[in-house]
Amino acid sequence: MVKEFKVKAVEDLKDRLSRSSIAIGARFQGLTSQQLNDLRRRLAVQDVEFRVVRNTLALIAAREAGKTSVEVVFQGPTGVAFGYGDPIEPARILAEFIRSTRLPLEINGAFMESRTLSSDEVRTLATLPPKDQLIAILLGQMQAPIAQLLYVLNAPIQSLAIVLQRVVENGDGGSASENDSSASVEQSSEASEADSTEPEASVAEEVAAEAPAPQEEVASEAAPEEGVASEDVAEEAAEQEESGSAEAEEEEKSE
């Protein structure tokens, strides 16, 4: 009967160690039954079981469950807190119970999946945020670069949308400004044409004023030439008369 009881106890501990996400061994020496029941109630709120175990049977069950460094967890009168959900919650509740009651409850160590944690590691685990909050923080850190990338990619599109919206809102004003600008361009072109005609008129007047001067010079140059020509004709006529008179004298002498 005793052997059968021990076999069942080992199988039960082995099953709990295999199914639990964390199993924390705590030495409860010096605690009363009422204080242990208070601890059980606090742990039960988070679906954590607290069971007092015999170290010899617990060592056998832990080894059969594939745990290592089992002697660290089972030291002295030991109770084991089996957690099946968030592994942080059992460690947090035990640490809070020790801090608030100041009872001589000491954490030996823990089995968390395939690892064996020391008492210091369990206390560090108790200071972490809950698992859901850790996942949210991790997802936020993972999504931050993606959000920044999307912001950078959407920035040109948003700028274009803003520009188009302003164009739509200022559509009437824009057409009026275009009409004003076209009218001002026409006025400036007419003014430039008027300015260009004035220099042309002044140039024509200057040409007309200077035109008679060359004609007078030509006339003045032509007058001396005519006088010279008349003098040449007179000299030729005189020479002909002289030659005629000379011939007449020679004829008279010959007669």
Side-chain angles (χ1 to χ4, degrees), residues 23-96:
I24 304 174
R27 187 162 45 192
F28 61 88
Q29 187 175 4
L31 273 69
T32 63
S33 299
Q34 184 177 358
Q35 292 169 343
L36 285 176
N37 290 332
D38 183 23
L39 176 60
R40 287 191 178 96
R41 284 193 296 269
R42 295 191 186 190
L43 291 170
V45 174
Q46 297 295 331
D47 295 330
V48 179
E49 296 178 347
F50 187 83
R51 297 177 67 88
V52 176
V53 298
R54 294 178 62 178
N55 290 345
T56 54
L57 300 179
L59 289 172
I60 296 171
R63 291 190 181 99
E64 291 183 359
K67 306 300 181 181
T68 59
S69 303
V70 293
E71 294 82 2
V72 174
V73 179
F74 305 109
Q75 298 178 12
T78 304
V80 181
F82 296 97
Y84 303 99
D86 185 359
I88 298 175
E89 287 301 320
R92 185 184 62 80
I93 295 171
L94 286 173
E96 178 63 23

Side-chain angles (χ1 to χ4, degrees), residues 161-181:
I162 293 172
V163 172
L164 294 177
Q165 183 65 27
R166 290 180 178 176
V167 170
V168 172
E169 292 176 354
N170 300 329
D172 297 336
S175 59
S177 61
E178 290 178 357
N179 294 331
D180 295 338
S181 62

Side-chain angles (χ1 to χ4, degrees), residues 94-190:
L94 286 173
E96 178 63 23
F97 180 81
I98 294 171
R99 185 186 64 80
S100 62
T101 61
R102 299 184 181 275
L103 293 174
L105 181 68
E106 298 181 9
I107 296 175
N108 295 331
F111 301 121
M112 188 172 69
E113 296 180 353
S114 60
R115 292 189 57 192
T116 301
L117 305 180
S118 65
S119 59
D120 292 337
E121 290 175 329
V122 174
R123 282 189 286 268
T124 302
L125 183 65
T127 61
L128 297 177
K131 183 178 179 180
D132 295 340
Q133 187 175 351
L134 286 175
I135 294 174
I137 294 172
L138 179 61
L139 290 176
Q141 292 178 351
M142 293 174 62
Q143 291 176 355
I146 300 175
Q148 293 177 357
L149 177 61
L150 291 176
Y151 176 78
V152 172
L153 294 176
N154 290 331
I157 300 175
Q158 293 176 354
S159 300
L160 178 60
I162 293 172
V163 172
L164 294 177
Q165 183 65 27
R166 290 180 178 176
V167 170
V168 172
E169 292 176 354
N170 300 329
D172 297 336
S175 59
S177 61
E178 290 178 357
N179 294 331
D180 295 338
S181 62
S182 61
S184 62
V185 169
E186 291 178 356
Q187 292 176 357
S188 61
S189 62
E190 291 176 357

Side-chain angles (χ1 to χ4, degrees), residues 241-255:
E241 289 178 357
E242 291 178 356
S243 61
S245 61
E247 289 178 356
E249 289 178 357
E250 289 179 356
E251 289 179 356
E252 290 178 357
K253 289 179 179 182
S254 60
E255 291 178 356

Side-chain angles (χ1 to χ4, degrees), residues 223-237:
E225 289 179 356
E226 292 177 355
V228 172
S230 60
E231 290 177 357
D232 293 338
V233 171
E235 289 178 357
E236 289 179 358

